[in-house]
Amino acid sequence: MAKRIVFLMSDTGGGHRAAAEAIRDALYIRYGKENIDATLIDVFRLSRFPMNYMPEFYPWLVNRSKASWAIGYNLSNTRGRANLLARTMYYTNARRFKKMILTNPADVVVCVHSVITRAAMRAYDVLEMRPPFITVVTDLVSTHFFWYDKQVERCLVPTQAAYDRGINAGLRPDQMRITGLPVDPRFMDSLGSKQDARAELGWVPDKPAILMVAGGDGMGPLYATARAISEKHLDCQLAIIAGRNRALKEKLEQTDWQQPTHIYGFVRNMPRLMAAADILVTKAGPATLTEAAIAGLPMIISDAIPGQEDGNVTYVVENNAGAYAPEPRQVADTVAAWLHEGADALAQRTANARRIANPNAVWEIADEIWQWAQHGALPGKRKRRRLQRKREKPN
Ligand code: UDP
Protein backbone atom coordinates (compact mmCIF):
# COMPACT_ATOMS: atom_id res chain seq x y z
CA MET A 1 0.00 0.00 0.00
CA ALA A 2 1.21 3.52 -0.83
CA LYS A 3 2.78 5.41 2.10
CA ARG A 4 0.76 8.44 3.16
CA ILE A 5 2.99 11.48 3.59
CA VAL A 6 1.40 14.68 4.86
CA PHE A 7 3.30 17.95 4.36
CA LEU A 8 2.33 20.86 6.60
CA MET A 9 3.16 24.20 4.97
CA SER A 10 1.71 27.57 4.00
CA ASP A 11 1.93 29.87 1.01
CA THR A 12 3.50 32.65 3.04
CA GLY A 13 6.26 33.48 0.55
CA GLY A 14 7.28 30.88 -2.00
CA GLY A 15 9.87 28.91 -0.05
CA HIS A 16 7.68 26.58 2.00
CA ARG A 17 5.69 25.20 -0.91
CA ALA A 18 8.91 24.97 -2.97
CA ALA A 19 10.53 22.88 -0.19
CA ALA A 20 7.51 20.59 0.25
CA GLU A 21 7.17 20.01 -3.50
CA ALA A 22 10.90 19.40 -3.85
CA ILE A 23 10.86 16.69 -1.16
CA ARG A 24 7.66 15.15 -2.53
CA ASP A 25 9.12 14.99 -6.05
CA ALA A 26 12.38 13.47 -4.78
CA LEU A 27 10.29 10.78 -3.04
CA TYR A 28 8.36 10.14 -6.27
CA ILE A 29 11.58 9.79 -8.27
CA ARG A 30 13.41 7.64 -5.72
CA TYR A 31 10.60 5.38 -4.48
CA GLY A 32 8.00 5.45 -7.27
CA LYS A 33 4.95 7.70 -7.52
CA GLU A 34 2.66 4.69 -7.16
CA ASN A 35 4.16 4.01 -3.70
CA ILE A 36 3.54 7.48 -2.33
CA ASP A 37 0.32 9.23 -1.45
CA ALA A 38 1.47 12.82 -0.73
CA THR A 39 -0.74 15.64 0.50
CA LEU A 40 0.31 19.28 0.95
CA ILE A 41 -1.79 21.16 3.51
CA ASP A 42 -1.74 24.95 3.88
CA VAL A 43 -2.34 24.94 7.65
CA PHE A 44 -2.97 28.69 7.90
CA ARG A 45 -5.77 28.44 5.32
CA LEU A 46 -7.74 26.08 7.55
CA SER A 47 -7.01 28.01 10.76
CA ARG A 48 -9.22 30.56 12.45
CA PHE A 49 -9.47 34.20 11.34
CA PRO A 50 -7.14 36.10 10.99
CA MET A 51 -4.56 33.27 10.60
CA ASN A 52 -6.40 31.99 7.52
CA TYR A 53 -5.46 35.20 5.69
CA MET A 54 -1.73 34.85 6.45
CA PRO A 55 -0.76 33.98 2.84
CA GLU A 56 -2.20 37.37 1.70
CA PHE A 57 -1.33 39.26 4.87
CA TYR A 58 2.33 38.18 5.06
CA PRO A 59 3.74 40.00 1.97
CA TRP A 60 1.53 43.00 2.74
CA LEU A 61 2.78 43.20 6.31
CA VAL A 62 6.44 42.71 5.43
CA ASN A 63 6.24 45.26 2.59
CA ARG A 64 4.30 47.88 4.56
CA SER A 65 6.05 47.70 7.86
CA LYS A 66 9.33 45.89 8.09
CA ALA A 67 9.91 47.51 11.48
CA SER A 68 6.78 46.00 13.04
CA TRP A 69 7.61 42.63 11.50
CA ALA A 70 11.07 42.82 13.09
CA ILE A 71 9.60 43.72 16.48
CA GLY A 72 7.07 40.87 16.32
CA TYR A 73 9.76 38.42 15.24
CA ASN A 74 12.22 39.40 17.94
CA LEU A 75 9.62 39.61 20.71
CA SER A 76 8.30 36.12 19.94
CA ASN A 77 11.78 34.61 19.52
CA THR A 78 12.42 33.37 23.05
CA ARG A 79 11.87 29.83 24.28
CA GLY A 80 9.04 30.86 26.63
CA ARG A 81 7.17 33.17 24.27
CA ALA A 82 7.44 30.82 21.30
CA ASN A 83 5.98 28.11 23.53
CA LEU A 84 3.13 30.36 24.70
CA LEU A 85 2.25 31.44 21.15
CA ALA A 86 2.34 27.87 19.86
CA ARG A 87 0.01 26.81 22.70
CA THR A 88 -2.35 29.67 21.87
CA MET A 89 -2.34 28.71 18.21
CA TYR A 90 -3.08 25.13 19.17
CA TYR A 91 -5.90 25.88 21.63
CA THR A 92 -7.64 28.38 19.33
CA ASN A 93 -7.51 25.89 16.46
CA ALA A 94 -7.71 22.53 18.28
CA ARG A 95 -10.95 21.44 16.57
CA ARG A 96 -9.64 22.41 13.14
CA PHE A 97 -6.36 20.60 13.73
CA LYS A 98 -8.28 17.51 14.81
CA LYS A 99 -10.39 17.60 11.66
CA MET A 100 -7.27 18.10 9.52
CA ILE A 101 -5.61 15.08 11.14
CA LEU A 102 -8.68 12.85 10.82
CA THR A 103 -9.30 13.72 7.17
CA ASN A 104 -5.61 13.29 6.26
CA PRO A 105 -4.37 10.06 7.85
CA ALA A 106 -0.59 9.82 7.62
CA ASP A 107 2.26 7.34 7.92
CA VAL A 108 4.61 10.26 8.45
CA VAL A 109 4.11 14.02 8.87
CA VAL A 110 6.63 16.52 7.50
CA CYS A 111 6.43 20.14 8.62
CA VAL A 112 8.26 22.80 6.59
CA HIS A 113 6.89 25.94 8.31
CA SER A 114 8.23 27.44 11.54
CA VAL A 115 5.01 28.88 12.97
CA ILE A 116 3.07 25.67 12.37
CA THR A 117 5.58 23.20 13.83
CA ARG A 118 4.89 23.30 17.56
CA ALA A 119 1.13 23.76 17.40
CA ALA A 120 0.79 20.88 14.93
CA MET A 121 3.09 18.60 16.94
CA ARG A 122 0.89 19.26 19.96
CA ALA A 123 -2.23 18.41 17.95
CA TYR A 124 -0.75 15.06 16.86
CA ASP A 125 0.65 14.29 20.29
CA VAL A 126 -2.78 14.35 21.99
CA LEU A 127 -3.75 11.29 19.92
CA GLU A 128 -3.47 7.84 21.50
CA MET A 129 -1.19 6.84 18.61
CA ARG A 130 0.34 9.29 16.17
CA PRO A 131 2.49 9.20 13.04
CA PRO A 132 6.21 10.06 13.25
CA PHE A 133 6.72 13.81 12.89
CA ILE A 134 9.70 15.32 11.03
CA THR A 135 10.56 19.01 10.86
CA VAL A 136 12.48 20.26 7.84
CA VAL A 137 13.81 23.70 8.76
CA THR A 138 13.62 25.99 5.72
CA ASP A 139 15.33 29.06 7.19
CA LEU A 140 19.08 29.01 6.80
CA VAL A 141 20.73 30.55 9.84
CA SER A 142 18.68 32.85 12.09
CA THR A 143 16.10 30.19 12.83
CA HIS A 144 13.20 31.07 15.17
CA PHE A 145 12.44 29.08 18.36
CA PHE A 146 9.13 28.16 16.66
CA TRP A 147 11.04 25.62 14.58
CA TYR A 148 12.21 23.47 17.48
CA ASP A 149 9.80 21.10 19.20
CA LYS A 150 11.32 18.55 21.55
CA GLN A 151 8.77 15.82 20.72
CA VAL A 152 9.61 15.50 17.01
CA GLU A 153 11.31 12.33 15.81
CA ARG A 154 13.68 14.23 13.53
CA CYS A 155 14.61 17.86 12.93
CA LEU A 156 16.54 18.29 9.67
CA VAL A 157 18.38 21.59 9.36
CA PRO A 158 20.29 23.37 6.58
CA THR A 159 23.37 24.70 8.41
CA GLN A 160 25.54 24.25 11.50
CA ALA A 161 24.10 27.52 12.88
CA ALA A 162 20.55 26.15 12.61
CA TYR A 163 21.74 22.92 14.30
CA ASP A 164 23.32 24.86 17.19
CA ARG A 165 20.13 26.83 17.69
CA GLY A 166 18.16 23.58 17.87
CA ILE A 167 20.48 22.22 20.58
CA ASN A 168 20.11 25.52 22.41
CA ALA A 169 16.32 25.15 22.18
CA GLY A 170 16.59 21.79 24.00
CA LEU A 171 16.63 19.21 21.20
CA ARG A 172 18.93 16.20 21.54
CA PRO A 173 21.77 15.71 19.04
CA ASP A 174 20.25 12.36 17.98
CA GLN A 175 17.03 14.16 16.95
CA MET A 176 18.89 16.52 14.64
CA ARG A 177 20.78 16.28 11.38
CA ILE A 178 22.38 18.82 9.03
CA THR A 179 21.20 18.05 5.51
CA GLY A 180 21.13 21.39 3.65
CA LEU A 181 18.01 23.03 2.25
CA PRO A 182 15.87 20.94 -0.11
CA VAL A 183 15.71 22.16 -3.71
CA ASP A 184 13.73 20.71 -6.63
CA PRO A 185 15.49 17.41 -7.45
CA ARG A 186 15.39 18.29 -11.16
CA PHE A 187 17.01 21.68 -10.53
CA MET A 188 20.60 20.60 -11.26
CA ASP A 189 19.74 18.68 -14.41
CA SER A 190 17.48 21.46 -15.73
CA LEU A 191 20.21 24.09 -15.60
CA GLY A 192 21.93 23.25 -18.92
CA SER A 193 24.27 25.61 -20.73
CA LYS A 194 24.02 29.39 -20.64
CA GLN A 195 23.77 29.68 -24.41
CA ASP A 196 20.96 27.12 -24.69
CA ALA A 197 19.02 28.72 -21.85
CA ARG A 198 19.35 32.18 -23.43
CA ALA A 199 18.23 30.91 -26.83
CA GLU A 200 15.21 29.22 -25.26
CA LEU A 201 14.27 32.36 -23.30
CA GLY A 202 14.82 34.74 -26.22
CA TRP A 203 17.53 36.71 -24.39
CA VAL A 204 20.40 38.47 -26.18
CA PRO A 205 23.06 35.74 -26.58
CA ASP A 206 26.18 37.77 -25.78
CA LYS A 207 25.22 40.50 -23.31
CA PRO A 208 25.79 39.98 -19.57
CA ALA A 209 22.44 39.21 -17.96
CA ILE A 210 21.27 40.46 -14.56
CA LEU A 211 18.46 38.36 -13.08
CA MET A 212 16.32 40.06 -10.42
CA VAL A 213 13.86 38.35 -8.06
CA ALA A 214 12.33 39.09 -4.66
CA GLY A 215 10.86 35.80 -3.46
CA GLY A 216 7.66 34.21 -4.67
CA ASP A 217 5.67 37.34 -3.80
CA GLY A 218 7.89 40.01 -5.45
CA MET A 219 8.49 41.80 -2.17
CA GLY A 220 10.47 44.91 -1.19
CA PRO A 221 12.08 47.57 -3.37
CA LEU A 222 12.50 45.46 -6.51
CA TYR A 223 11.16 48.18 -8.81
CA ALA A 224 13.42 50.94 -7.44
CA THR A 225 16.41 48.60 -7.61
CA ALA A 226 15.74 47.68 -11.24
CA ARG A 227 15.38 51.37 -12.12
CA ALA A 228 18.66 52.21 -10.39
CA ILE A 229 20.48 49.53 -12.40
CA SER A 230 18.82 50.60 -15.63
CA GLU A 231 19.76 54.26 -15.14
CA LYS A 232 23.44 53.29 -15.05
CA HIS A 233 23.24 52.60 -18.82
CA LEU A 234 25.38 49.48 -18.44
CA ASP A 235 26.02 47.25 -21.41
CA CYS A 236 23.88 44.37 -20.16
CA GLN A 237 20.36 42.91 -20.23
CA LEU A 238 17.88 42.66 -17.35
CA ALA A 239 15.46 39.88 -16.48
CA ILE A 240 13.04 40.86 -13.73
CA ILE A 241 10.74 38.38 -11.98
CA ALA A 242 7.76 39.96 -10.23
CA GLY A 243 6.52 36.60 -8.88
CA ARG A 244 2.90 36.67 -7.72
CA ASN A 245 2.96 40.50 -7.40
CA ARG A 246 0.70 41.47 -10.34
CA ALA A 247 0.81 45.21 -9.65
CA LEU A 248 4.61 45.13 -9.76
CA LYS A 249 4.59 43.21 -13.03
CA GLU A 250 2.30 45.79 -14.63
CA LYS A 251 4.45 48.65 -13.41
CA LEU A 252 7.59 46.96 -14.75
CA GLU A 253 5.90 46.41 -18.11
CA GLN A 254 4.91 50.06 -18.39
CA THR A 255 8.45 51.31 -17.80
CA ASP A 256 10.97 52.30 -20.50
CA TRP A 257 14.21 50.48 -19.84
CA GLN A 258 17.69 51.50 -20.96
CA GLN A 259 18.71 47.91 -21.75
CA PRO A 260 17.01 44.89 -23.32
CA THR A 261 14.69 43.87 -20.47
CA HIS A 262 12.59 40.75 -19.96
CA ILE A 263 9.72 40.91 -17.47
CA TYR A 264 8.15 37.84 -15.89
CA GLY A 265 5.32 37.07 -13.47
CA PHE A 266 5.54 33.87 -11.41
CA VAL A 267 7.94 31.63 -13.33
CA ARG A 268 8.08 27.84 -13.27
CA ASN A 269 11.47 27.57 -14.97
CA MET A 270 13.79 29.15 -12.39
CA PRO A 271 16.72 26.82 -13.18
CA ARG A 272 16.70 27.94 -16.82
CA LEU A 273 16.57 31.62 -15.84
CA MET A 274 19.42 31.13 -13.38
CA ALA A 275 21.44 29.20 -15.97
CA ALA A 276 20.98 32.03 -18.48
CA ALA A 277 22.04 34.77 -16.02
CA ASP A 278 25.47 36.06 -14.93
CA ILE A 279 24.50 37.89 -11.74
CA LEU A 280 21.51 37.47 -9.43
CA VAL A 281 20.00 40.40 -7.52
CA THR A 282 17.72 38.97 -4.86
CA LYS A 283 15.99 39.27 -1.52
CA ALA A 284 17.72 37.03 1.04
CA GLY A 285 15.12 34.25 0.63
CA PRO A 286 16.68 30.93 1.72
CA ALA A 287 15.35 28.91 -1.23
CA THR A 288 16.49 31.43 -3.85
CA LEU A 289 19.95 31.72 -2.28
CA THR A 290 20.32 27.94 -2.14
CA GLU A 291 19.21 27.57 -5.77
CA ALA A 292 21.65 30.31 -6.84
CA ALA A 293 24.47 28.51 -5.02
CA ILE A 294 23.65 25.28 -6.87
CA ALA A 295 23.50 27.22 -10.17
CA GLY A 296 26.84 28.88 -9.35
CA LEU A 297 25.24 32.29 -9.75
CA PRO A 298 27.01 35.16 -7.94
CA MET A 299 24.45 37.01 -5.79
CA ILE A 300 23.86 40.56 -4.70
CA ILE A 301 21.45 40.62 -1.78
CA SER A 302 19.32 43.74 -2.11
CA ASP A 303 16.84 43.16 0.70
CA ALA A 304 16.16 40.87 3.66
CA ILE A 305 13.08 40.21 5.75
CA PRO A 306 14.14 41.24 9.26
CA GLY A 307 14.48 38.33 11.66
CA GLN A 308 14.37 35.12 9.69
CA GLU A 309 16.50 36.36 6.77
CA ASP A 310 19.10 38.47 8.63
CA GLY A 311 21.43 35.53 9.16
CA ASN A 312 21.24 34.58 5.48
CA VAL A 313 23.01 37.80 4.54
CA THR A 314 25.94 37.09 6.87
CA TYR A 315 26.08 33.49 5.68
CA VAL A 316 26.37 34.47 2.01
CA VAL A 317 28.78 37.34 2.59
CA GLU A 318 31.04 35.44 5.03
CA ASN A 319 31.33 32.58 2.54
CA ASN A 320 32.23 35.04 -0.26
CA ALA A 321 29.24 33.80 -2.23
CA GLY A 322 27.87 37.30 -2.71
CA ALA A 323 27.57 40.89 -1.56
CA TYR A 324 25.04 42.80 0.51
CA ALA A 325 23.75 46.08 -0.95
CA PRO A 326 20.69 47.22 0.99
CA GLU A 327 19.99 50.36 -1.08
CA PRO A 328 18.99 50.41 -4.79
CA ARG A 329 21.94 52.67 -5.61
CA GLN A 330 24.37 50.34 -3.85
CA VAL A 331 23.00 47.42 -5.85
CA ALA A 332 23.49 49.35 -9.10
CA ASP A 333 27.06 50.30 -8.09
CA THR A 334 27.87 46.68 -7.22
CA VAL A 335 26.46 45.39 -10.53
CA ALA A 336 28.56 48.00 -12.38
CA ALA A 337 31.69 47.07 -10.41
CA TRP A 338 31.22 43.33 -11.00
CA LEU A 339 30.66 43.82 -14.73
CA HIS A 340 33.72 46.06 -14.87
CA GLU A 341 35.89 43.44 -13.13
CA GLY A 342 35.27 41.09 -16.05
CA ALA A 343 34.82 37.38 -16.65
CA ASP A 344 37.64 35.97 -14.48
CA ALA A 345 36.47 37.70 -11.33
CA LEU A 346 32.88 36.58 -12.02
CA ALA A 347 34.12 33.01 -12.49
CA GLN A 348 35.75 33.17 -9.05
CA ARG A 349 32.46 34.38 -7.56
CA THR A 350 30.70 31.49 -9.30
CA ALA A 351 33.10 29.00 -7.68
CA ASN A 352 32.52 30.60 -4.26
CA ALA A 353 28.74 30.38 -4.68
CA ARG A 354 28.98 26.66 -5.59
CA ARG A 355 31.01 25.97 -2.46
CA ILE A 356 28.02 26.58 -0.15
CA ALA A 357 25.67 24.36 -2.20
CA ASN A 358 24.55 20.86 -1.25
CA PRO A 359 22.48 19.63 -4.20
CA ASN A 360 22.12 16.25 -2.43
CA ALA A 361 20.13 17.69 0.47
CA VAL A 362 16.75 16.88 -1.03
CA TRP A 363 17.72 13.20 -1.51
CA GLU A 364 19.03 12.87 2.03
CA ILE A 365 15.78 14.36 3.36
CA ALA A 366 13.62 12.14 1.13
CA ASP A 367 15.47 9.00 2.31
CA GLU A 368 15.02 9.93 5.93
CA ILE A 369 11.28 10.56 5.46
CA TRP A 370 10.85 7.30 3.58
CA GLN A 371 12.49 5.37 6.43
CA TRP A 372 10.17 6.98 8.97
CA ALA A 373 7.16 6.24 6.75
CA GLN A 374 7.90 2.51 7.33
CA HIS A 375 8.18 2.92 11.11
CA GLY A 376 4.54 2.69 12.14
CA ALA A 377 2.57 4.75 14.66
CA LEU A 378 4.08 5.98 17.92
CA PRO A 379 2.38 6.51 21.30
CA GLY A 380 1.00 9.99 21.95
CA LYS A 381 1.63 11.99 25.12
CA ARG A 382 -0.95 10.29 27.37
CA LYS A 383 -0.05 6.79 26.28
CA ARG A 384 3.64 7.52 26.81
CA ARG A 385 2.86 8.63 30.35
CA ARG A 386 0.82 5.50 31.04
CA LEU A 387 3.64 3.32 29.71
CA GLN A 388 6.13 5.22 31.83
CA ARG A 389 4.04 4.75 35.00
CA LYS A 390 3.72 1.04 34.25
CA ARG A 391 7.48 0.74 33.87
CA GLU A 392 8.06 2.55 37.17
CA LYS A 393 5.47 0.53 39.13
CA PRO A 394 7.14 -1.88 41.56
CA ASN A 395 6.29 -5.53 40.73
N1 UDP B 1 10.02 31.20 -7.24
C1 UDP B 1 9.47 30.63 -8.38
N2 UDP B 1 8.93 31.48 -9.29
C2 UDP B 1 8.92 32.82 -9.14
C3 UDP B 1 9.50 33.38 -7.96
C4 UDP B 1 10.05 32.53 -7.03
O1 UDP B 1 9.47 29.42 -8.57
O2 UDP B 1 8.43 33.50 -10.01
C5 UDP B 1 10.57 30.26 -6.24
C6 UDP B 1 12.07 30.39 -6.04
O3 UDP B 1 12.76 29.69 -7.06
C7 UDP B 1 12.22 29.82 -4.65
C8 UDP B 1 10.94 30.28 -3.94
O4 UDP B 1 9.99 30.56 -4.97
O5 UDP B 1 12.24 28.41 -4.70
C9 UDP B 1 11.15 31.54 -3.13
O6 UDP B 1 11.58 31.17 -1.86
P1 UDP B 1 12.50 32.07 -0.95
O7 UDP B 1 12.80 31.28 0.27
O8 UDP B 1 13.67 32.56 -1.72
O9 UDP B 1 11.63 33.36 -0.61
P2 UDP B 1 10.12 33.53 -0.09
O10 UDP B 1 9.26 33.70 -1.29
O11 UDP B 1 9.79 32.29 0.70
O12 UDP B 1 10.16 34.76 0.75
Side-chain angles (χ1 to χ4, degrees):
M1 206 168 88
K3 291 295 173 194
R4 297 159 305 177
I5 304 179
V6 166
F7 290 90
L8 306 180
M9 42 75 68
S10 183
D11 282 319
T12 49
H16 304 112
R17 178 175 288 276
E21 289 181 347
I23 301 167
R24 177 199 63 190
D25 292 353
L27 282 158
Y28 284 162
I29 296 169
R30 193 87 125 194
Y31 299 103
K33 203 168 176 178
E34 66 286 2
N35 296 317
I36 287 151
D37 175 3
T39 312
L40 268 62
I41 302 176
D42 188 327
V43 177
F44 283 149
R45 278 269 177 257
L46 49 83
S47 302
R48 234 174 221 287
F49 180 84
M51 296 289 275
N52 54 341
Y53 280 103
M54 266 307 262
E56 287 81 14
F57 193 48
Y58 172 78
W60 181 87
L61 183 68
V62 175
N63 271 336
R64 293 296 150 102
S65 180
K66 266 192 173 181
S68 13
W69 180 266
I71 292 168
Y73 187 92
N74 291 326
L75 276 180
S76 61
N77 197 11
T78 68
R79 196 191 292 235
R81 289 191 198 129
N83 196 16
L84 181 71
L85 286 165
R87 264 170 199 254
T88 311
M89 181 176 172
Y90 167 67
Y91 284 117
T92 48
N93 291 287
R95 283 225 320 268
R96 289 161 199 250
F97 272 126
K98 194 169 174 189
K99 192 169 163 206
M100 173 191 88
I101 292 172
L102 288 178
T103 45
N104 297 283
D107 293 304
V108 62
V109 177
V110 182
C111 185
V112 296
H113 199 296
S114 60
V115 181
I116 295 165
T117 303
R118 296 171 77 158
M121 180 69 239
R122 196 172 267 269
Y124 279 102
D125 215 24
V126 297
L127 303 174
E128 183 71 3
M129 296 297 285
R130 64 165 176 85
F133 192 107
I134 300 178
T135 311
V136 178
V137 174
T138 57
D139 287 323
L140 279 180
V141 179
S142 33
T143 42
H144 196 286
F145 268 102
F146 278 144
W147 277 114
Y148 301 112
D149 190 293
K150 286 190 236 170
Q151 297 306 331
V152 302
E153 276 50 62
R154 293 295 267 163
C155 177
L156 310 179
V157 295
T159 60
Q160 182 68 45
Y163 178 93
D164 294 343
R165 290 176 75 87
I167 297 293
N168 182 39
L171 270 73
R172 301 181 314 271
D174 64 287
Q175 279 173 297
M176 299 193 67
R177 178 174 166 198
I178 304 172
T179 53
L181 203 81
V183 157
D184 185 338
R186 292 160 299 233
F187 192 92
M188 274 279 271
D189 294 339
S190 312
L191 286 166
S193 80
K194 186 167 290 183
Q195 289 317 319
D196 286 354
R198 284 191 183 177
E200 180 189 301
L201 293 164
W203 292 10
V204 185
D206 49 5
K207 260 190 201 305
I210 319 300
L211 179 65
M212 304 186 65
V213 64
D217 292 324
M219 288 199 262
L222 184 58
Y223 181 79
T225 310
R227 282 297 294 265
I229 298 173
S230 177
E231 295 309 321
K232 284 238 164 218
H233 295 267
L234 301 166
D235 183 21
C236 67
Q237 56 187 322
L238 301 181
I240 314 171
I241 303 174
R244 283 187 285 256
N245 188 336
R246 290 214 189 108
L248 173 64
K249 180 166 182 264
E250 256 173 50
K251 199 167 161 189
L252 289 165
E253 281 167 344
Q254 284 158 10
T255 302
D256 285 330
W257 300 96
Q258 308 297 334
Q259 296 85 5
T261 297
H262 320 276
I263 313 280
Y264 301 91
F266 192 88
V267 302
R268 300 251 164 232
N269 54 347
M270 192 61 91
R272 300 300 276 161
L273 288 146
M274 286 195 176
D278 296 294
I279 294 172
L280 176 72
V281 175
T282 179
K283 175 176 87 65
T288 306
L289 297 180
T290 307
E291 290 161 3
I294 294 174
L297 190 55
M299 13 189 153
I300 300 172
I301 300 179
S302 55
D303 188 27
I305 300 177
Q308 74 260 42
E309 289 184 356
D310 285 338
N312 303 357
V313 177
T314 328
Y315 181 68
V316 166
V317 173
E318 278 180 357
N319 285 290
N320 291 321
Y324 181 45
E327 293 295 330
R329 216 157 34 103
Q330 282 173 279
V331 175
D333 290 345
T334 312
V335 170
W338 285 14
L339 291 181
H340 185 71
E341 279 171 15
D344 286 352
L346 262 187
Q348 185 54 53
R349 291 185 204 285
T350 293
N352 293 343
R354 284 221 173 92
R355 214 167 294 131
I356 59 168
N358 177 13
N360 271 332
V362 73
W363 301 111
E364 290 173 23
I365 294 167
D367 289 346
E368 179 104 29
I369 290 168
W370 181 250
Q371 278 171 27
W372 279 101
Q374 322 301 316
H375 185 279
L378 294 155
K381 189 162 84 181
R382 272 183 234 122
K383 188 167 173 126
R384 283 201 304 278
R385 279 197 197 135
R386 279 204 309 275
L387 290 170
Q388 178 73 20
R389 275 201 296 273
K390 224 178 191 174
R391 273 198 298 271
E392 286 165 5
K393 221 167 156 182
N395 289 326

